[in-house]
Amino acid sequence: NAGVMQNPRHLVRRRGQEARLRCSPMKGHSHVYWYRQLPEEGLKFMVYLQKENIIDESGMPKERFSAEFPKEGPSILRIQQVVRGDSAAYFCASSPPVQAYNEQFFGPGTRLTVL
Amino acid sequence: GIQVEQSPPDLILQEGANSTLRCNFSDSVNNLQWFHQNPWGQLINLFYIPSGTKQNGRLSATTVATERYSLLYISSSQTTDSGVYFCAVGPNFGNEKLTFGTGTRLTIIP
């Protein structure tokens, strides 16, 4: 039973480049969440997606950040024109499609470093 | 939005000691989870406990939803218990995002 998978685990980008982070949810899970953890801080919610739908993007910066969860394939978090302040660990979580049980399971994270 | 406070922020204990970590939250919740973030940054699910009491080996947790707090107990601490413990809550009805506390950093000394 594979858990939540994220790749790459580490990503280095220069200022102005694009970063693409991928997340494959656990088998049978249809809800995906992205969180960001800045150094020495807790995790902050960014976006919640179901297949082909963004449900809640209230935590996503309005510019440069976008997320998708296509019908086929992994969820993608895309950061355009990265800046040093984007350096953080980005975690993806998934949960099953059962309203009464919504435990979230987290992937290992992608550590983004912007030079 | 919902507020989550954890205490204490830091805890240093000798191996073998017991500890209690607390999580207070400001509103009704339908999801409460405890996580351990190990020194390598990995988030490990400890408990899904929106109410009641659960035990798993040396760890146990209790959530008193009506009084808006949860406790995580660690008994007979081991050095591998070191890391940051996060409480995270999801609001009662509506969207399902988790709001995380600022964590308790636990250091177990051999």
Side-chain angles (χ1 to χ4, degrees), chain B residues 61-73:
Chain B
T62 294
T63 296
V64 183
T66 52
E67 297 188 21
R68 299 182 184 165
Y69 73 88
S70 183
L71 301 173
L72 177 69
Y73 305 97

Side-chain angles (χ1 to χ4, degrees), chain A residues 30-88:
Chain A
S30 57
H31 299 197
V32 166
Y33 314 80
W34 287 93
Y35 295 83
R36 177 165 66 176
Q37 184 178 32
L38 296 171
E40 303 301 318
E41 292 189 14
L43 280 75
K44 297 282 196 301
F45 168 79
M46 298 180 75
V47 61
Y48 162 37
L49 309 103
Q50 296 179 18
K51 285 284 187 182
E52 299 185 283
N53 281 308
I54 297 175
I55 307 301
D56 179 359
E57 56 182 348
S58 59
M60 193 101 96
K62 293 286 184 282
E63 297 179 354
R64 303 189 296 108
F65 285 73
S66 62
E68 62 176 4
F69 189 16
K71 189 176 178 182
E72 303 289 337
S75 175
I76 307 284
L77 179 68
R78 182 181 178 208
I79 311 172
Q80 295 178 288
Q81 299 176 317
V82 296
V83 301
R84 288 228 173 101
D86 297 332
S87 294

